[in-house]
Amino acid sequence: MFKRTSVVDQIKVDTFGFSSIFEIGDTSYIQGYSRALALQRDAEIFYDSEGSYSAYPLYSEELLIPKITENIQTCYIQHKPIIKVKNIDILGVSSSSVLHIGNTKDISMESRVKHFRQFVKNEE
């Protein structure tokens, strides 16, 4: 893992929601996963039978990640081993997002959202 030190004088986050993480320090592995059904209607009407992820193949399909076949060579030069930040001001972190201050070796993030929009047709 890269060896850098992160220095943050002040951080302000207004809202964390839906399985989000605030991590301070070094991490070997982060895996975030979020799934959601987003339903937008003209009126606030909800039915008990709605909301089954198993009804939609989107949530069970295998995620295809292309394999890197090219030979990649990297060279890192850390001219300054410290990253300094005075202030961080964030409105919101949501849907399995990660706010991380520090080093991470491996990170994997996935989000699956099915959107529905149901509006009444205007006959005019």
Side-chain angles (χ1 to χ4, degrees), residues 1 3 10 13 16 38-40 42 44 54 56-57 76 82-84 87 92 97 102 104 116 118-119 123:
M1 196 168 2
K3 301 295 180 194
Q10 179 180 355
V13 181
F16 272 95
L39 178 58
Q40 182 180 6
D42 286 334
E44 294 182 14
S54 61
Y56 306 100
Y76 299 96
I82 297 175
I83 300 171
K84 293 183 180 182
N87 293 312
S97 298
T104 303
F116 295 94
Q118 298 174 347
F119 299 109
E123 297 296 329

Side-chain angles (χ1 to χ4, degrees), residues 37-77:
L37 287 171
L39 178 58
Q40 182 180 6
R41 290 186 173 130
D42 286 334
E44 294 182 14
I45 302 170
F46 303 99
Y47 303 102
D48 290 339
S49 60
E50 293 180 320
S52 174
Y53 293 120
S54 61
Y56 306 100
L58 166 74
Y59 300 106
S60 59
E61 292 175 356
E62 182 181 349
L63 180 64
L64 299 176
I65 301 174
K67 294 188 178 188
I68 299 173
T69 57
E70 297 88 7
N71 186 16
I72 299 173
Q73 295 180 354
T74 58
C75 178
Y76 299 96
I77 299 172

Side-chain angles (χ1 to χ4, degrees), residues 9 11 28 32 37 42 74 78 81 95:
D9 290 340
I11 186 162
S28 294
L37 287 171
D42 286 334
T74 58
Q78 311 282 353
S95 300

Side-chain angles (χ1 to χ4, degrees), residues 19-36:
S19 300
S20 295
I21 296 171
F22 182 13
E23 179 78 31
I24 299 174
D26 296 343
T27 306
S28 294
Y29 183 70
I30 295 175
Q31 181 178 8
Y33 179 75
S34 172
R35 61 183 183 177

Side-chain angles (χ1 to χ4, degrees), residues 97-111:
S97 298
V98 176
L99 171 58
H100 186 228
I101 299 171
N103 296 295
T104 303
K105 183 178 178 187
D106 293 307
I107 186 165
S108 172
M109 306 296 289
E110 179 182 346
S111 179

